Amino acid sequence: MSVVGAQPFIKPMQSPPSVSPGIQRRHTLPASEVRPLNTQDAISVFEIEREAFISVSGECPLHLDEVRHFLTLCPELSMGWFEEGRLVAFIIGSLWDQDRLTTEALTLHKPCGSTVHIHVLAVHRTFRQQGKGPILMWRYLQYLRCLPNVRRAVLMCEDFLIPFYRKSGFKVLGRCAITVANLTFTEMWYPISGHAYMRRNSEAIRFPQHPLTVPLTKTDERVDV
């Protein structure tokens, strides 16, 4: 998948100032940062997901092997929020090439697709009720605007989550054809067009070949979606 369109997000790295080893160790991890996930994050991802979903619906959107599967095939469509090196929230997506989701969309990544299927958004229990879910979704959708072949994002959710995703700009498509055990879902979509909103003096995300991670700013913390 081409990521040339993400280049406006890239900011050259500056050499860190020379400091003593003791001081440098204390500043190794930024207080808050966003970066793409990789397979080494899979266990942390699954632990957060399992706790978030099993207690509510009894089912996980992605099992551990499926998390590893998507983080291998399309890590550039994932996003993790880290606090001092600890994963506190994440999104995992893949590409899809049809108008509506089918059962195949749960496990397949279609590199030529123009739709991003958002499989899961989850927040660690310790960090809930702090607005991290909406903020991370906002940043993710802004990032998708930089991918030239992406035209929309879709997801499926239980009905009680519809108001949450509506606040992020998603619209209801209708009942989803996919069922899991006794669970039924509503399919929602978000149009991806134009260029990412860039604020002066703000830093954004570098994806995917460039592993630089970028701290969240106080402006991001105030995003109201």
Side-chain angles (χ1 to χ4, degrees):
M1 176 180 176
S2 171
V3 292
V4 174
Q7 293 302 310
F9 278 110
I10 297 174
K11 184 174 181 179
M13 295 181 63
Q14 296 180 353
S15 299
S18 177
V19 295
S20 67
I23 296 176
Q24 189 167 0
R25 278 196 298 272
R26 288 197 295 271
H27 294 280
T28 297
L29 296 174
S32 187
E33 62 180 356
V34 167
R35 66 164 172 83
L37 299 168
N38 56 59
T39 54
Q40 293 180 341
D41 301 311
I43 292 177
S44 296
V45 165
F46 184 66
E47 287 176 349
I48 294 173
E49 180 195 21
R50 181 174 56 187
E51 188 280 329
F53 286 90
I54 290 295
S55 61
V56 176
S57 62
E59 296 287 339
C60 280
L62 297 174
H63 296 293
L64 181 57
D65 58 337
E66 294 168 334
V67 171
R68 290 192 174 113
H69 171 71
F70 287 118
L71 294 186
T72 299
L73 290 179
C74 47
E76 72 278 6
L77 295 176
S78 69
M79 185 177 287
W81 184 334
F82 293 79
E83 296 279 359
E84 297 183 347
R86 178 188 183 187
L87 181 66
V88 301
F90 69 89
I91 293 173
I92 292 179
S94 65
L95 284 176
W96 184 239
D97 60 357
Q98 298 181 32
D99 292 336
R100 300 294 295 269
L101 295 175
T102 68
T103 303
E104 290 183 333
L106 298 180
T107 56
L108 296 183
H109 168 60
K110 300 283 191 176
C112 295
S114 60
T115 295
V116 171
H117 172 204
I118 299 175
H119 293 271
V120 58
L121 160 65
V123 179
H124 192 283
R125 63 181 180 276
T126 306
F127 297 88
R128 290 174 196 154
Q129 305 302 316
Q130 299 177 20
K132 283 183 166 53
I135 292 172
L136 187 63
M137 178 62 79
W138 181 86
R139 290 178 70 92
Y140 186 76
L141 294 173
Q142 296 307 305
Y143 164 64
L144 294 184
R145 292 179 185 275
C146 288
L147 303 182
N149 297 324
V150 173
R151 295 293 175 264
R152 64 178 190 146
V154 299
L155 56 83
M156 57 186 235
C157 67
E158 294 182 73
D159 288 351
F160 74 91
L161 287 171
I162 291 175
F164 172 84
Y165 288 112
R166 274 186 168 149
K167 289 180 180 178
S168 292
F170 283 83
K171 300 176 183 178
V172 171
L173 263 177
R175 300 307 298 176
C176 186
I178 301 170
T179 58
V180 178
N182 295 323
L183 299 176
T184 59
F185 304 94
T186 294
E187 195 167 333
M188 304 187 74
W189 75 288
Y190 182 94
I192 304 295
S193 61
H195 299 286
Y197 177 56
M198 301 289 288
R199 291 184 302 274
R200 177 186 285 183
N201 298 326
S202 68
E203 294 199 50
I205 309 161
R206 180 174 292 190
F207 281 90
Q209 300 102 322
H210 307 277
L212 174 65
T213 58
V214 178
L216 291 166
T217 65
K218 292 191 176 184
T219 303
D220 291 318
E221 297 286 354
R222 294 195 298 270
V223 172
D224 181 12
V225 293

